[in-house]
Amino acid sequence: MKQLLTFWFLAISIPLMAQRGVANYTRENGLVSNEISDVAYDEKGFLWVATDKGIDRFDGQRFIHFQHDPDDKNTICTNRIMRISYDPKGYVWAATMNGGLIRISTKTLRVRNYNYQQGKKRGISDNRSTALFIDSDNETWICPHYRGLDYYDSKRDEFVNYRPTDQFPKLNPRYANLFSSVIEDRNEKGLFWCASLDGLFSFNKRTKKWKHFPLSKQTFLETITPIGFEGAMRCLEQDGKGNLYIGTWGGGLLYFDKNQGLYRRFIYQKAEPPSGFRNNISDLKWRDTRYLYVCATSYEFLLFDTKTKEFIHYDDSEKSIFKPHRMARFGKQIAVAGLENGIFVHNESLIFGRHERYPFDLQKIVFHPTRNEWLATNSSNNGEAYFNRNGAGKTYQLFSGQRDNEFFFSTPHFMGRNGYVIVSSDRFVQLDANSGLRVLVR
């Protein structure tokens, strides 16, 4: 079967950014586009990237491009990808701007496209989707534009639609039926929370019943001056008590007390009146049990302290992630989609953590795609390399004797099963964490 797949090997190492060691991958490194709308990890730790020019899969060493070919129906149906999600059954699902729904097998890399057909029962409800969600039963749900939820029945290979306006017909379907994020309740299996343009909805998977939690001055725990965007919800996270943190399209961060059914609001721009554009939050992810990572769209990457209820802004010297949009995590590794600047990937134990001191200036660095380890070198003729695994580091001297003093050693690479290779102007050196250095070619 013909597939329009392009393989791009990462031929250069990624320089460290700022003081936090964030690796930024762009078109210069093989990424198909710098405009990234979403990211997702599969079970092997491969990163799947949604772009305006197709889908990329990155294994830490090379990019594989999936792009549309109008002459080949076995390629993805369009290149404008909006959301992407991994299904543990072995598939990556991609929602598009207006081209349909895409499913890719992570084992065979075969593509399956689903398109809306007017009058067809049990098909997708629209060619445009705004979110994807995999529940605790590993079942897939799609959020078609203005049409609530589509449930994918994998046994019958068909879709079933559920909309809030079927139960609340007086609501405006262009607001109530448009979801940007869906999560499952941590404590109630089968209870879904849906972020809409008309406030918060819950959906019971078993009973198929909806509940609506709209916003008004009466549904806030304190008296506020509304920005006007609070009800336009965009992303969700839940704490251990079952309460929700909600990012909005300009109304800042909301806290929803599940038991009282009431909200609180927190904004990271204190200007009067607050700027809706700047208080736009596109994604939330837990860093740990206290802090939330916050993607302030087109602005900056923040932390929110759920104990003090304060946003944490970083000094310019600490900022390495620009115009963040979406996030994904694999173990301690976190990837951030940049709207215009490619993807930012690093081990989250080093992102916005404590300042580390190393035996020399780290100039070039390469990360293991799934393990908590990395290799760095400098760009001087000292010829030094620093290998770090699980926070424990070791320095290697890459030359011995006066004859090697002119040697310029600077570029590390991760080579999959072959481990790490360092390339210089006159030799290749392999680094094994157990046995040390071995010169391959000189």
Side-chain angles (χ1 to χ4, degrees):
M1 180 185 299
K2 178 184 175 184
Q3 296 285 353
L4 187 63
L5 303 180
T6 306
F7 295 80
W8 186 287
F9 286 86
L10 197 60
I12 62 174
S13 62
I14 309 302
L16 285 172
M17 299 187 64
Q19 297 178 348
R20 298 304 183 193
V22 178
N24 181 207
Y25 298 91
T26 65
R27 291 184 60 187
E28 294 180 358
N29 312 120
L31 191 63
V32 72
S33 173
N34 287 341
E35 295 184 26
I36 313 300
S37 56
D38 203 3
V39 286
Y41 283 104
D42 65 22
E43 63 181 0
K44 294 183 179 180
F46 294 163
L47 183 63
W48 294 78
V49 185
T51 84
D52 64 327
K53 292 182 173 58
I55 299 171
D56 270 7
R57 193 197 77 171
F58 182 50
D59 62 6
Q61 183 181 356
R62 65 178 181 177
F63 289 94
I64 299 178
H65 306 318
F66 296 80
Q67 293 182 295
H68 174 63
D69 181 350
D71 297 323
D72 186 357
K73 65 180 181 179
N74 296 312
T75 62
I76 62 175
C77 52
T78 183
N79 286 331
R80 185 68 178 179
I81 313 299
M82 304 303 295
R83 300 297 297 272
I84 198 161
S85 185
Y86 173 66
D87 172 359
K89 293 179 181 178
Y91 298 100
V92 166
W93 293 85
T96 72
M97 173 63 78
N98 201 28
L101 182 67
I102 300 168
R103 189 185 73 179
I104 302 175
S105 169
T106 58
K107 295 180 180 179
T108 65
L109 301 185
R110 291 187 176 183
V111 173
R112 171 78 185 275
N113 296 309
Y114 297 89
N115 296 102
Y116 169 72
Q117 298 178 31
Q118 189 173 3
K120 180 183 177 181
K121 296 182 178 181
R122 303 293 184 175
I124 61 172
S125 299
D126 197 87
N127 276 331
R128 180 179 179 182
S129 299
T130 51
L132 300 162
F133 166 61
I134 312 299
D135 68 21
S136 59
D137 294 321
N138 294 334
E139 293 186 317
T140 301
W141 299 75
I142 297 95
C143 300
H145 204 227
Y146 302 137
R147 287 168 174 82
L149 290 174
D150 273 355
Y151 163 69
Y152 175 63
D153 186 335
S154 59
K155 293 181 180 179
R156 295 181 173 86
D157 192 31
E158 59 186 27
F159 298 83
V160 183
N161 183 253
Y162 304 95
R163 308 183 190 190
T165 52
D166 291 339
Q167 187 174 329
F168 303 101
K170 293 184 179 181
L171 296 179
N172 187 333
R174 294 181 68 85
Y175 293 92
N177 291 340
L178 181 59
F179 298 147
S180 295
S181 180
V182 181
I183 63 172
E184 185 169 6
D185 194 282
R186 290 186 175 190
N187 306 314
E188 296 184 47
K189 180 181 172 66
L191 179 66
F192 303 159
W193 294 99
C194 308
S196 84
L197 292 182
D198 190 10
L200 184 66
F201 285 89
S202 68
F203 177 75
N204 190 302
K205 179 181 177 181
R206 181 179 60 84
T207 65
K208 308 299 187 294
K209 296 295 184 181
W210 295 92
K211 289 185 179 181
H212 186 207
F213 304 88
L215 278 89
S216 67
K217 289 185 177 181
Q218 290 71 39
T219 58
F220 277 94
L221 286 165
E222 70 276 350
T223 302
I224 67 167
T225 301
I227 299 174
F229 300 94
E230 287 86 355
M233 297 181 175
R234 195 170 186 185
C235 54
L236 301 164
E237 267 289 13
Q238 189 177 37
D239 64 20
K241 296 180 180 180
N243 301 314
L244 297 173
Y245 288 91
I246 307 166
T248 70
W249 289 87
L253 179 66
L254 301 179
Y255 173 79
F256 178 71
D257 188 306
K258 180 181 173 182
N259 294 323
Q260 299 184 67
L262 298 176
Y263 296 90
R264 292 184 66 188
R265 186 193 69 185
F266 308 95
I267 55 178
Y268 55 84
Q269 283 293 311
K270 300 296 185 180
E272 295 293 341
S275 166
F277 177 77
R278 289 191 174 181
N279 282 286
N280 189 347
I281 295 174
S282 56
D283 206 4
L284 301 167
K285 287 286 185 295
W286 286 106
R287 178 188 179 184
D288 48 42
T289 57
R290 176 172 174 175
Y291 295 98
L292 280 168
Y293 288 124
V294 179
C295 286
T297 310
S298 300
Y299 189 56
E300 64 177 313
F301 197 60
L302 306 170
L303 282 180
F304 182 75
D305 188 333
T306 61
K307 184 177 181 179
T308 64
K309 300 297 189 288
E310 294 177 335
F311 288 97
I312 300 174
H313 296 259
Y314 295 96
D315 296 335
D316 289 341
S317 63
E318 296 177 308
K319 292 178 181 178
S320 297
I321 298 174
F322 305 99
K323 293 190 175 181
H325 191 57
R326 298 283 180 188
M327 292 177 280
R329 177 185 285 110
F330 185 79
K332 290 187 176 182
Q333 184 167 283
I334 188 167
V336 181
L339 281 176
E340 300 175 358
N341 303 286
I343 52 177
F344 302 88
V345 182
H346 193 30
N347 184 296
E348 70 173 348
S349 64
L350 298 179
I351 291 182
F352 305 133
R354 63 187 184 276
H355 288 271
E356 298 281 357
R357 293 186 178 274
Y358 299 107
F360 57 86
D361 291 335
L362 307 183
Q363 300 292 328
K364 298 291 182 64
I365 190 168
V366 64
F367 298 95
H368 194 286
T370 59
R371 298 176 187 170
N372 182 19
E373 66 180 44
W374 48 274
L375 174 67
T377 60
N378 63 9
S379 295
S380 70
N381 60 1
N382 293 329
E384 294 167 321
Y386 182 78
F387 179 75
N388 188 292
R389 173 181 286 174
N390 297 324
K394 182 178 180 180
T395 301
Y396 294 89
Q397 202 72 27
L398 299 175
F399 67 84
S400 58
Q402 186 174 0
R403 181 178 178 182
D404 293 328
N405 274 344
E406 300 302 320
F407 169 58
F408 191 78
F409 232 123
S410 65
T411 312
H413 299 268
F414 176 69
M415 305 300 292
R417 294 181 180 179
N418 295 318
Y420 298 89
V421 171
I422 306 173
V423 181
S424 76
S425 57
D426 69 343
R427 74 194 73 180
F428 291 89
V429 175
Q430 184 181 38
L431 173 66
D432 183 273
N434 299 315
S435 59
L437 299 176
R438 181 167 67 94
V439 176
L440 300 178
V441 179
R442 183 172 181 181

